[in-house]
Amino acid sequence: MDGDDRDIPPIPASPAEAHAPRVGVDEWVASVAERREGYSGVLGRARSELERVPRPVFYAAFGVAAALLPAITSDGYIVRVGFDTLLYMLLALGLNITVGYAGLLDLGYVAFYGFGAYGYAMLASPKFGIHWNTLAIVPVVVIATAILGLLVALPSRRLLGDYLAIVTLFFGQLFVAVYTNGERMSLFGLTRSHDVTGGPNGIPNVDNFNVFGGRIGSLQAYYYVALGVFLLVLLVVFLIDTSRTGRAWKSLREDPLAAELMGMPVNRLKLIAFAAGAAVAGLAGTLFAALNTAVFASDFDVPTLIIIYAILILGGAGSIGGVILGALVVNISLEVLRTPGHATWVFYVTILATLLMALRPWRVLALVLGGTVAFGYAAHAIVAAAWPRGVHGSPSVGGWFGSGLSGWELHPSNPRLIGNITFIALVLAVLALTLLSGWKRWAAMIPTLYLAGFVWENRLVVEPSITRLILVGVILIVLMNARPQGLLGTARVEIV
Amino acid sequence: MLKRVGLIATATSVAALAVVASAIARPATVAAASALSCKSGVSIGMLAPITGPVSSIGDDQLHWAEYYFNTWNKTHKLKIKLVQGDTQLQPALASTVSQSFASNSKIMGVIGPAGSDEVQAVGPILRKAGLAFASGSATRVSLTSGAWKGYFFRDVPNDGVQGPTDATFMQTKLGVSSGDSVMIIDDQESYSTGLADIAGQALAGKGVKVDRESVAQTATDFSSLIAKITSTTKVVFLPWQKASEAQLFAQQAKAQGKTAIIFGSDGTFDSSNFTAGNYVSFFAPDVTTLPADAKIVAGFHKAFPGGTSPFGAPNYVLAQMYAAAITTSCKDNKITRAELRKNFAKVSLKSTILGTPIRFTANGDLAGAKFHIFKIVNGKYETVQ
Amino acid sequence: MNWNLFVTELVAGITHGSVYALIALGYSMVYGILKLLNFAHGDIYMVGAFIGFGIVTVFGGAESLSVNVWVLLLVMFLCAMLGGGLLGVLIERFAYRRLRNAPRIAPLITALGVSFFLENAALLLLGGQFQSYDSYGWKGGELWTRGFTLPAGVHVGVAQVIVVAGAVLLMILLTVFVQRTQLGKAMRATSFDREAAAMMGIDVDRVIVATFFIGSALAGAAGVFNGLAYQQVWPYMGFQAGLYAFIAAVVGGIGNLPGAVVGGLVIGLAQSFSIGYISSTFSDAIVFLVLIAVLILRPTGVLGRAAVQKV
């Protein structure tokens, strides 16, 4: 919002008008100008070079890099996180068809995932005593999920935008409700009640994948299966993306009415997009069930849906590369932040590096950093003299960094209450920071930075599980505000 | 400007993540078999729904275990660290977290997971990693039926003990006989449905009419269900995990003028929360009322303000048992997962804050599990059986 | 026919429906103006409920209130509405404003981020335990023992009356405000066509801030109503309530204020009657079926206008 902001197109010039509807501004022209501007400098040139490389090269490079992971490490946890990430990529890729290409807001997507997983579990477990071959189950489940997708889409095809979102959202809720309570199902009270889904106890002891008599049991093997499946689906999606159907979907997304007027079979396109997305989710479900060897309805509830959406939108809806990047960012940050030690490093490094790169000129940077350090030592000295219990504890990280911190940061002996108060103060301070400008901002930054360190050490690090989710929330807010189109998405013009 | 800061922050955090991720991607030794020197401290993993819809339970479980180890570390040279693993009560998430515990060579044993479904999901992973896992709230009967013998333990009695005890009490003492009806309401998770099934079968076998209902665990409006309590309904049985919900149910029932006896399971056993009902069953006296425990409870509330739930204290005892087993294992200054597992199975505590001695059977169940029944009189729990 | 059951379900449905309707109003107002599905709205309701709980604690706790119940209620509502409203304004200013011209789905994800942040910050600050208003204990439970008896012997407590009457009062005030005042008219104009309103000299920013303030204040009030009738508050209470309010808004026709009220009541009644008469286990499923049926018969909701697509 400052005068020096290069990202906002030249009109409107005055800060007050920046948020008003841009009457008379051609947004497309503005966005082209913005992009051209972005290509200046060394980074810009590198970027335009990168854009010249055909996209499949990137996908292949990703495939090779991903295939090397189990070779680098034998750590089961890392391979497991890799598998989870691939599964999320696959799910986001499917959602990309429905949301990214066709522009249909499908909030019941996770139900298709669950349907696929339960489908596999029912056909390959002692639950009903059925143990089919995997090569038979997967096509059956995928087709069944696609049909379910069609059935959901059929009544919804008349619905516009957000009404579709709500119907699908509740389809998802319906799925969870039915599967959680499916241990006493009867046909409208007419028949005796049967245990269909295992209810809250789910379906345990599901078979592993079983191909040509060989059982796939190890985590590594599943990782490769997931990678193979993902690359295969990626190829298909890439081909569809550039096909007639893909172009038709995108025109449907941009303007359904215009698409219809151009003679496109709008309804059929919607149905296909829905079914295709559902089929991919069903496929992902079979992988999930076979690795976990147990399925529970609570795995297919809203939290999972939110993660898939965050991946797709953060990466950039409509972009295959965005799906890959989004899944890496979201899932790996969720996992890394789980461990307090790692989270602490990420926290400090992010703040420091952001300051290093964002603060110009150099003397301001030096002033802010030096000021923060000095502020900390001064505060520490004052508190140590006035209130010894305020410096009682010790920092969460060890080593040289920790010993440096211990003289700088305050560590009250019972930090719970004061940590809570300063947490609120920190949130308000950060919000205030975004409103200030010029030297006031630099000045305000010093205590805010110190406060951030204090809150982190005294409150956030003590509750890593909660902190992790708070940070995910912050990441979502900051990232969407910084790049509304997602990391690799292309800016679209909203037609008003 | 802000937009640029946001982008840079994002880019650098991604870079930082990548650096940290690659730093932890070291070639791991086979954590399951390696011995750890006790000097650097021993870690215990904690699988609990710390965030998410049942954080009220997970939060409490975590804090009780944390509280024990914090107290322990103040007075012992051998340090025990509790590593948090948030499952959000999602079995798939619990699996990933278990995998991280399995790969962490410092973790020697696991407390949790909370739900029976989660135990099902993580069992294979933890077993393969050679880790003991002990739950303070997973009560489904079949969990100790053999698949994870020597690996899985619990210090709470299973549903197969409680269900029949409660059903018998209803018939012998509360005068429920053939022709009467009993309303059983589960809260749609595995503890509750399991217990409701068992109690329901026991009653139905005696000719009692069982009206089986269910509500979501997050529900706060029971008036619609309460309206279904009729004059022939003698008892309403609430096998719930949340005492405060049961309290609410009882209050709403009273406000609607219903007189059926309200009977809570061990999940509702909390004399500071569930006082409006009539009977409650539990496998031990109340942790918050035993005079000997008053100090511990006061200390806990000082460290972690707020209420507590019946499923919290068993985790304190599990932490205590782990500490005992670690002490035994560390006599030679070395510890392995297998060693801890064996020693853990043998721990026998003469007195615990649960009010009963605690040790495990060969299957990992609580030995000598017995249920007491309490009558609630003016907000106080009185033992009647 | 069991009239007692019928009337009880009716009362339960209306009480619960009133709370839904209040939340749905805010949802609908914001949607009407920004076309934004504000997933954080339910969490504002949670914050409102906690503010009310804080007030009860400040005044000595449920068992030993130091003030008259009516004074307490007044303070609770004022604080919760003010707190909720300010929170809504903050969220709009710092999370949504920059995204006003962004693709529709970007603010949706931001809203999820805000919701994550609020829920977990509340968990961090307040702990995961359930807290109870325990209005049954206020001054010997006069809010529940007093009241009146409907035909078929159904007792209605004062607390329930307060919830329904309070909700109705707020709705009437809102209607008067939107219909009669200048700002209300500006709101309607903005929701009809933001750009055109801006060209007519309406300060759109101010209108949006006002909308967020009022909508969020209603959610804050709903939080207190909920605490009064159903006692429990905890950090994740907003999500489920937000979801139901969302359906309520859609059933009534999203962006349509009387529709939100009708939708709230429909959802509340559908819920209580399906528990009473069909199946408590599948009551949620039945509510969803009602929703889908309504939308298929009337794709724009019960009171929604037929959507005119602008080309």
Side-chain angles (χ1 to χ4, degrees):
Chain A
M1 274 162 297
D2 308 342
D4 66 341
D5 197 339
R6 295 192 319 168
D7 299 338
I8 291 180
I11 313 169
S14 88
E17 286 169 26
H19 306 298
R22 298 174 181 178
V23 180
V25 179
D26 188 330
E27 307 231 0
W28 187 77
V29 174
S31 74
V32 167
E34 190 183 354
R35 208 182 316 158
R36 203 172 295 140
E37 205 176 356
Y39 283 175
S40 62
V42 183
L43 281 177
R45 220 169 309 135
R47 199 171 134 192
S48 59
E49 285 298 321
L50 269 180
E51 275 186 12
R52 223 171 289 159
V53 182
R55 281 185 294 156
V57 174
F58 285 115
Y59 307 149
F62 165 75
V64 172
L68 288 177
L69 179 82
I72 299 169
T73 174
S74 59
D75 190 329
Y77 171 51
I78 290 169
V79 179
R80 169 81 198 204
V81 172
F83 175 86
D84 288 351
T85 313
L86 283 171
L87 207 57
Y88 276 128
M89 281 180 197
L90 188 59
L91 285 165
L93 204 56
L95 189 62
N96 193 25
I97 300 175
T98 325
V99 178
Y101 293 155
L104 303 169
L105 202 52
D106 175 5
L107 295 181
Y109 184 70
V110 71
F112 300 126
Y113 177 40
F115 185 79
Y118 266 97
Y120 180 86
M122 286 174 182
L123 295 177
S125 74
K127 179 90 196 161
F128 300 116
I130 306 173
H131 297 274
W132 285 11
N133 188 300
T134 303
L135 292 179
I137 300 176
V138 172
V140 167
V141 168
V142 169
I143 292 170
T145 321
I147 294 173
L148 182 69
L150 273 183
L151 290 179
V152 175
L154 265 182
S156 330
R157 65 184 192 279
R158 283 174 61 200
L159 303 173
L160 295 167
D162 297 321
Y163 290 95
L164 178 70
I166 191 95
V167 170
T168 49
L169 177 62
F170 288 106
F171 167 69
Q173 293 286 297
L174 190 68
F175 171 86
V176 177
V178 168
Y179 276 70
T180 322
N181 297 306
E183 84 279 23
R184 290 192 313 275
M185 286 241 247
S186 68
L187 211 59
F188 302 107
L190 299 175
T191 58
R192 223 157 41 81
S193 67
H194 293 283
D195 181 355
V196 183
T197 65
N201 293 316
I203 302 181
N205 307 323
V206 177
D207 302 345
N208 281 128
F209 273 157
N210 177 6
V211 189
F212 301 121
R215 196 178 68 93
I216 303 177
S218 81
L219 194 53
Q220 271 77 8
Y222 275 101
Y223 179 83
Y224 283 116
V225 172
L227 182 62
V229 169
F230 172 69
L231 290 176
L232 194 72
V233 174
L234 188 147
L235 183 71
V236 174
V237 171
F238 179 71
L239 291 178
I240 294 179
D241 182 16
T242 46
S243 74
R244 227 164 71 104
T245 317
R247 288 194 304 273
W249 276 337
K250 275 179 248 174
S251 64
L252 176 70
R253 171 188 77 193
E254 296 301 334
D255 194 335
L257 205 59
E260 197 166 7
L261 289 175
M262 301 299 271
M264 287 182 194
V266 169
N267 274 341
R268 209 168 69 208
L269 282 171
K270 280 187 185 174
L271 292 182
I272 297 172
F274 235 90
V280 176
L283 182 63
T286 61
L287 266 169
F288 172 91
L291 174 78
N292 283 308
T293 65
V295 291
F296 305 94
S298 49
D299 283 330
F300 310 106
D301 210 342
V302 179
T304 314
L305 180 75
I306 292 177
I307 293 181
I308 304 172
Y309 261 90
I311 287 170
L312 180 69
I313 310 304
L314 274 192
S319 148
I320 297 177
V323 164
I324 297 177
L325 189 64
L328 287 174
V329 170
V330 171
N331 200 40
I332 293 183
S333 50
L334 273 173
E335 287 304 324
V336 167
L337 292 177
R338 199 185 280 288
T339 318
H342 301 152
T344 303
W345 280 107
V346 173
F347 181 77
Y348 285 117
V349 170
T350 303
I351 290 186
L352 206 65
T354 309
L355 289 179
L356 283 177
M357 293 172 76
L359 282 190
R360 292 287 182 278
W362 287 100
R363 57 192 155 77
V364 172
L365 173 69
L367 224 61
V368 169
L369 283 182
T372 312
V373 172
F375 184 89
Y377 280 109
H380 194 272
I382 293 170
V383 173
W387 185 49
R389 282 181 61 200
V391 291
H392 199 267
S394 54
S396 63
V397 283
W400 57 270
F401 190 58
S403 53
L405 275 182
S406 70
W408 180 72
E409 231 154 34
L410 297 172
H411 296 279
S413 54
N414 190 5
R416 198 182 168 94
L417 181 65
I418 192 155
N420 282 346
I421 296 168
T422 44
F423 174 78
I424 298 174
L426 174 67
V427 173
L428 294 177
V430 170
L431 294 184
L433 209 58
T434 63
L435 293 180
L436 297 173
S437 61
W439 66 268
K440 281 185 198 147
R441 174 181 281 177
W442 314 137
M445 213 174 252
I446 293 171
T448 310
L449 283 173
Y450 185 73
L451 203 59
F454 178 83
V455 174
W456 179 267
E457 286 294 327
N458 286 300
R459 192 71 191 102
L460 295 179
V461 118
V462 187
E463 305 273 9
S465 312
I466 302 172
T467 302
R468 170 172 163 257
L469 294 181
I470 292 181
L471 288 182
V472 169
V474 172
I475 290 172
L476 288 182
I477 300 170
V478 170
L479 226 128
M480 288 329 292
N481 271 281
R483 254 187 100 79
Q485 71 272 38
L487 292 174
L488 295 185
T490 38
R492 272 166 48 202
V493 184
E494 279 294 283
I495 301 162
V496 202
Chain B
M1 176 68 208
L2 278 183
K3 204 166 174 183
R4 200 154 55 102
V5 173
L7 269 187
I8 292 173
T10 314
T12 48
S13 56
V14 170
L17 281 170
V19 171
V20 174
S22 62
I24 55 176
R26 75 231 172 264
T29 49
V30 185
S34 63
L36 181 80
S37 161
C38 292
K39 282 200 187 103
S40 55
V42 177
S43 295
I44 295 292
M46 174 99 202
L47 289 169
I50 302 165
T51 66
V54 289
S55 55
S56 64
I57 293 172
D59 208 44
D60 201 41
Q61 298 191 319
L62 172 74
H63 288 158
W64 273 104
E66 232 175 8
Y67 178 60
Y68 183 79
F69 286 135
N70 287 348
T71 324
W72 167 276
N73 286 340
K74 274 184 199 149
T75 51
H76 290 76
K77 245 173 92 185
L78 174 63
K79 302 293 178 215
I80 306 175
K81 193 180 158 211
L82 190 70
V83 179
Q84 290 190 17
D86 180 17
T87 68
Q88 303 183 352
L89 211 68
Q90 287 178 49
L93 210 52
S95 301
T96 302
V97 180
S98 302
Q99 196 80 58
S100 87
F101 286 173
S103 292
N104 184 340
S105 58
K106 286 205 160 163
I107 289 185
M108 291 288 130
V110 173
I111 299 180
S116 298
D117 48 350
E118 290 180 300
V119 175
Q120 283 282 6
V122 305
I125 297 170
L126 293 178
R127 198 209 142 110
K128 203 173 155 208
L131 283 163
F133 53 117
S135 174
S137 54
T139 54
R140 195 178 167 202
V141 179
S142 65
L143 295 179
T144 43
S145 62
W148 303 307
K149 190 174 163 182
Y151 293 83
F152 176 67
F153 304 90
R154 56 181 160 207
D155 65 344
V156 287
N158 65 40
D159 299 338
V161 185
Q162 182 171 201
T165 309
D166 292 355
T168 312
F169 184 83
M170 287 175 203
Q171 287 161 25
T172 54
K173 300 280 164 62
L174 302 181
V176 174
S177 53
S178 174
D180 291 336
S181 74
V182 169
M183 186 187 257
I184 299 182
I185 310 173
D186 70 62
D187 68 4
Q188 303 186 358
E189 42 72 51
S190 72
Y191 157 79
S192 181
T193 50
L195 194 51
D197 284 345
I198 292 172
Q201 276 158 17
L203 288 168
K206 294 276 158 62
V208 176
K209 215 171 126 247
V210 174
D211 177 12
R212 177 70 180 270
E213 302 284 343
S214 84
V215 284
Q217 211 174 18
T218 47
T220 50
D221 176 15
F222 305 109
S223 41
S224 309
L225 258 182
I226 290 166
K228 290 174 90 172
I229 300 176
T230 61
S231 52
T232 59
T233 309
K234 275 250 164 105
V235 177
V236 181
F237 183 49
L238 305 178
W240 290 0
Q241 280 188 334
K242 291 177 181 160
S244 53
E245 302 251 288
Q247 169 77 353
L248 194 56
F249 185 95
Q251 284 171 335
Q252 290 180 2
K254 269 191 194 143
Q256 288 187 34
K258 301 289 179 184
T259 51
I261 294 169
I262 293 173
F263 196 123
S265 69
D266 53 352
T268 66
F269 185 87
D270 181 351
S271 58
S272 58
N273 263 325
F274 182 48
T275 50
N278 304 90
Y279 287 90
V280 63
S281 59
F282 201 53
F283 50 90
D286 183 3
V287 48
T288 51
T289 56
L290 279 182
D293 300 330
K295 216 175 122 200
I296 295 171
V297 174
F300 176 81
H301 282 301
K302 191 163 171 263
F304 302 103
T308 176
S309 71
F311 287 124
N315 291 271
Y316 179 91
V317 175
L318 288 175
Q320 203 176 353
M321 297 178 87
Y322 266 119
I326 289 171
T327 312
T328 319
S329 309
C330 275
K331 281 207 175 109
D332 56 353
N333 267 324
K334 275 211 229 54
I335 184 169
T336 63
R337 287 175 178 178
E339 197 183 350
L340 180 62
R341 220 167 55 226
K342 295 215 173 65
N343 288 325
F344 185 68
K346 282 186 270 185
V347 173
S348 165
L349 298 177
K350 293 254 155 37
S351 71
T352 62
I353 59 163
L354 295 176
T356 50
I358 300 250
R359 66 187 171 78
F360 299 122
T361 65
N363 283 333
D365 257 322
L366 180 63
K370 184 170 163 270
F371 265 87
H372 303 272
I373 298 197
F374 300 81
K375 187 173 187 191
I376 305 171
V377 184
N378 297 328
K380 296 267 181 335
Y381 287 9
E382 288 173 5
T383 316
V384 287
Q385 181 185 318
Chain C
M1 175 145 186
N2 182 348
W3 282 104
N4 183 293
L5 181 65
F6 181 83
V7 177
T8 313
E9 300 302 357
L10 196 67
V11 171
I14 290 175
T15 319
H16 220 151
S18 310
V19 177
Y20 287 147
L22 274 185
I23 314 175
L25 276 173
Y27 233 123
S28 233
M29 285 172 77
V30 168
Y31 184 88
I33 287 191
L34 286 181
K35 301 284 173 289
L36 161 71
L37 295 177
N38 184 10
F39 276 119
H41 195 68
D43 297 299
I44 296 174
Y45 155 82
M46 176 269 292
V47 171
F50 266 109
I51 292 175
F53 175 72
I55 305 286
V56 176
T57 316
V58 166
F59 283 122
E63 297 296 332
S64 48
L65 283 180
S66 56
V67 290
N68 184 298
V69 170
W70 299 100
V71 175
L72 175 75
L73 283 174
L74 193 70
V75 177
M76 273 164 93
F77 279 110
L78 287 179
C79 290
M81 290 179 75
L82 197 66
L86 288 178
L87 182 64
V89 170
L90 276 183
I91 292 172
E92 191 275 327
R93 177 67 191 77
F94 292 101
Y96 299 153
R97 187 172 289 185
R98 301 169 64 83
L99 292 172
R100 234 174 253 167
N101 295 312
R104 292 275 314 280
I105 202 158
L108 192 80
I109 297 295
T110 314
L112 283 176
V114 174
S115 166
F116 257 58
F117 180 83
L118 289 178
E119 282 173 7
N120 292 294
L123 185 61
L124 182 80
L125 299 178
L126 306 160
Q129 297 303 314
F130 283 77
Q131 311 283 358
S132 176
Y133 275 50
D134 203 7
S135 62
Y136 291 98
W138 295 2
K139 302 273 177 192
E142 59 177 9
L143 280 184
W144 290 93
T145 48
R146 277 166 45 186
F148 60 91
T149 304
L150 286 175
V154 175
H155 176 78
V156 179
V158 178
Q160 280 160 298
V161 177
I162 296 174
V163 171
V164 177
V168 169
L169 182 72
L170 286 175
M171 287 169 206
I172 292 173
L173 286 178
L174 181 70
T175 313
V176 171
F177 173 80
V178 169
Q179 297 294 335
R180 296 291 160 81
T181 65
Q182 203 171 14
L183 190 56
K185 283 178 189 161
M187 259 179 208
R188 280 188 293 148
T190 312
S191 88
F192 196 72
D193 189 331
R194 200 162 87 211
E195 308 242 315
M199 284 183 228
M200 293 297 138
I202 290 175
D203 184 347
V204 174
D205 264 349
R206 204 171 131 241
V207 169
I208 292 176
V209 167
T211 309
F212 264 89
F213 183 84
I214 295 170
S216 307
L218 291 177
V224 177
F225 281 131
N226 185 70
L228 208 56
Y230 309 118
Q231 320 303 335
Q232 309 228 29
V233 285
W234 65 301
Y236 291 96
M237 69 189 282
F239 188 78
Q240 196 75 17
L243 221 56
Y244 275 102
F246 183 18
I247 327 179
V250 171
V251 165
I254 193 159
N256 178 313
L257 298 189
V261 177
V262 172
L265 290 177
V266 166
I267 295 301
L269 289 170
Q271 220 179 3
S272 67
F273 277 97
S274 61
I275 291 174
Y277 286 97
I278 308 173
S279 154
S280 56
T281 313
F282 292 103
S283 70
D284 282 354
I286 291 162
V287 172
F288 305 144
L289 290 178
V290 167
L291 167 90
I292 289 170
V294 166
L295 284 185
I296 288 167
L297 294 175
R298 282 192 63 93
T300 50
V302 177
L303 295 187
R305 291 172 299 231
V308 180
Q309 270 192 309
K310 278 172 273 180
V311 192

